């Protein structure tokens, strides 16, 4: 529910406002319109001007604070903490206003913490100036929507063949922490929680917070394996500060590690900061693996894990669990507490797929256009994204194989292969970059399918925030 009071303000590790020692006494520039950058020209020999489109300049937010302590020493500690959190910055950082569902990106350009001897005992004041080169006000929630590429419905094919998909089994008993942390355990000294605000698979992940520099993480229970090669993949997201000193993937019997591999450096992250860690171990005679351990050595660091895939045999397939029924997966027992299987089914004849519309709806609840980030996952050739309600369209003249992806930032016009390598030249000339207008937006994803199995369709993921000025 909307409220007029400013409420809490989050800047880095500091919180201003209710419940904190930093009271918000004033704020200016948040609801104000930034200065207009006009493109007007005088009309020669006539009254008035020729006027062009108006654009805003940067937003400047002035924040007044009152420091409230119980002693002079505590007041000094509050002053030092505020000073440490407002140092010159290389890049803009997020200032969050949780009670107003608002986020801005800026740099602290001015800081004033005056010395007032009359009120030195336990109170003080401070003033901050936040320079926002990007003047937009964003919603706190980063929204996303996905669709597979358009494909027409297919008729019966000859010769008649069994329908279905490549069989696979995920041996992890609770691979994505969607319900709870059952069948997982602390691996070393670590604080683990189920986090529903960050996820690579589904709606939850496991958040790890280190309290020291020891190696620690999560141990996942799996269905026991006593022969062959055990192949593993798992998604990892690290805050990056402080960077991990070491990362390990373990094959274990109970709490005993049979073997491990080093994970650092991690694979290049995707657009949302997730890296895929993989590894394989061939069991020796008499060995049994009944759990997989993932651990990092980090000095008071925070990281997340999600989407554990464990298989035996020569191939490690893309992640799957029993909740992904549209892709042929099912739980072998209790949901989110048992192995998952994908089996070949059929009646001896195949009528082909029902086709996919390739359409996705993105709703911008702000009052200004939002710049979406597009992620295109292969396999697909010459993918294109068209915005139905505005006529925007972008086409990529390239082929993305299975496991490859491209991220397109419509604001900066950055086009990054595998999230890091620039590929701006792949965008076909004449592109009209999509913008999410206030309200409902419909996008269509098309491309040319590549030869191969059909159970891994290309995927478009649209990510955005509600945007206002």
């Amino acid at each position: 529910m909307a409220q007029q009071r400013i409420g809490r303000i989050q800047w880095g590790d500091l919180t201003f406002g209710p419940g904190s020692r930093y009271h918000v006494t004033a704020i200016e520039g948040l609801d104000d319109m930034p200065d207009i950058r006009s493109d007007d020209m005088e009309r020669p020999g006539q009254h008035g001007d020729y006027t062009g489109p108006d654009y805003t300049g940067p937003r400047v937010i002035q924040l007044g604070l009152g420091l409230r302590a119980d002693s002079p020493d505590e007041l000094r500690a509050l002053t030092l903490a505020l000073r440490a959190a407002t140092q010159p910055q290389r890049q803009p950082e997020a200032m969050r206003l949780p009670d107003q569902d608002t986020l801005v990106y800026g740099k602290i350009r001015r800081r004033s913490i005056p010395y007032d001897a009359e009120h030195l005992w336990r109170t003080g004041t401070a003033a901050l100036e936040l320079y926002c080169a990007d003047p937009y006000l964003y919603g706190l929630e980063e929204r996303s929507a996905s669709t597979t590429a358009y494909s027409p419905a297919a008729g019966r094919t000859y010769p008649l063949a069994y329908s279905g998909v490549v069989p696979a089994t995920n041996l992890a008993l609770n691979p994505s922490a969607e319900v709870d942390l059952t069948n997982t355990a602390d691996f070393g000294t670590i604080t683990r929680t189920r986090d529903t605000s960050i996820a690579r698979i589904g709606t939850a992940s496991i958040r790890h917070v280190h309290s020291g520099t020891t190696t620690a993480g999560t141990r996942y229970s799996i269905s026991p394996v006593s022969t062959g090669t055990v192949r593993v993949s798992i998604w990892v997201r690290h805050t990056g500060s402080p960077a991990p000193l070491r990362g390990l993937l373990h094959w274990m019997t109970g709490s005993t590690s049979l073997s491990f591999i080093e994970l650092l450096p991690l694979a290049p992250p995707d657009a949302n900061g997730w890296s895929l860690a993989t590894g394989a171990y061939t069991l020796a005679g008499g060995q049994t693996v009944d759990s997989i351990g993932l651990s990092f050595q980090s000095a008071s660091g925070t990281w997340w894990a999600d989407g554990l895939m464990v298989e035996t045999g020569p191939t490690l397939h893309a992640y799957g669990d029993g909740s992904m029924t549209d892709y042929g997966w099912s739980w072998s027992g209790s949901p989110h507490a048992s192995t998952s299987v994908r089996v070949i089914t059929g009646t001896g004849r195949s009528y082909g797929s029902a086709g996919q519309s390739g359409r996705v709806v993105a709703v911008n609840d702000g009052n200004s256009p939002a710049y979406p980030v597009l992620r295109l996952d292969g396999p697909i050739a010459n993918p294109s994204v068209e915005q139905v309600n505005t006529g925007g369209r972008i086409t990529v003249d390239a082929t993305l194989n299975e496991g490859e992806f491209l991220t397109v930032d419509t604001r900066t016009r950055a086009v990054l292969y595998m999230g890091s390598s620039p590929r701006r030249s792949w965008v076909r000339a004449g592109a009209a970059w999509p913008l999410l207008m206030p309200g409902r937006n419909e996008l269509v994803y098309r491309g040319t399918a590549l030869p191969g199995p059909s159970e891994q369709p290309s995927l478009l993921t649209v990510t955005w925030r509600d945007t206002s000025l």
Side-chain angles (χ1 to χ4, degrees), residues 15 30 69 178 205 217 220 236 249 338 375:
T15 298
L30 182 67
E178 290 302 294
S205 64
Y220 293 83
V236 177
L249 186 63
S338 64
R375 171 171 166 146

Side-chain angles (χ1 to χ4, degrees), residues 172-185 192 194 206 218-222 334-338:
L173 302 185
N174 186 3
S176 189
E178 290 302 294
V179 176
D180 53 32
L181 298 184
T182 302
N183 293 310
T184 72
R192 300 183 313 122
R194 180 173 168 269
I206 300 180
T218 290
R219 180 164 56 88
Y220 293 83
S221 296
I222 69 170
S334 300
H336 305 288
S338 64

Side-chain angles (χ1 to χ4, degrees), residues 155-164 345-352:
R156 181 186 291 182
T157 58
Y158 292 90
L160 297 180
Y162 284 98
S163 63
T345 60
T347 59
R349 48 184 76 178
S350 171
Y351 289 86

Side-chain angles (χ1 to χ4, degrees), residues 87-121:
Q87 296 294 308
Q89 303 163 225
R90 293 180 61 88
Q91 298 293 334
E93 296 181 11
M95 177 177 281
R96 295 175 170 84
L97 293 84
D99 299 315
Q100 293 207 343
D101 189 27
T102 299
L103 178 150
V104 296
Y105 293 97
K107 297 179 177 180
I108 297 294
R109 283 284 172 86
R110 291 186 179 180
R111 175 188 67 218
S112 173
I113 309 178
Y115 179 88
D116 187 351
E118 293 184 3
H119 300 88
L120 178 62
W121 192 79

Side-chain angles (χ1 to χ4, degrees), residues 149 377-381 399-404 445 448-451 453 456-459:
D377 281 86
I380 195 170
T399 296
L400 298 174
N401 295 305
E402 182 178 344
E404 297 179 326
Y445 184 40
T448 302
L450 301 183
Q456 294 292 337
S458 178
L459 188 69

Side-chain angles (χ1 to χ4, degrees), residues 338-384:
S338 64
T339 60
S340 306
V341 294
R342 185 173 64 182
V343 298
I344 293 180
T345 60
T347 59
R349 48 184 76 178
S350 171
Y351 289 86
S353 66
Q356 299 290 337
S357 69
R359 293 175 180 261
V360 64
V361 172
V363 178
N364 174 13
D365 285 333
N367 50 41
S368 297
Y371 291 89
V373 175
L374 312 175
R375 171 171 166 146
L376 287 61
D377 281 86
I380 195 170
N382 302 324
S384 71

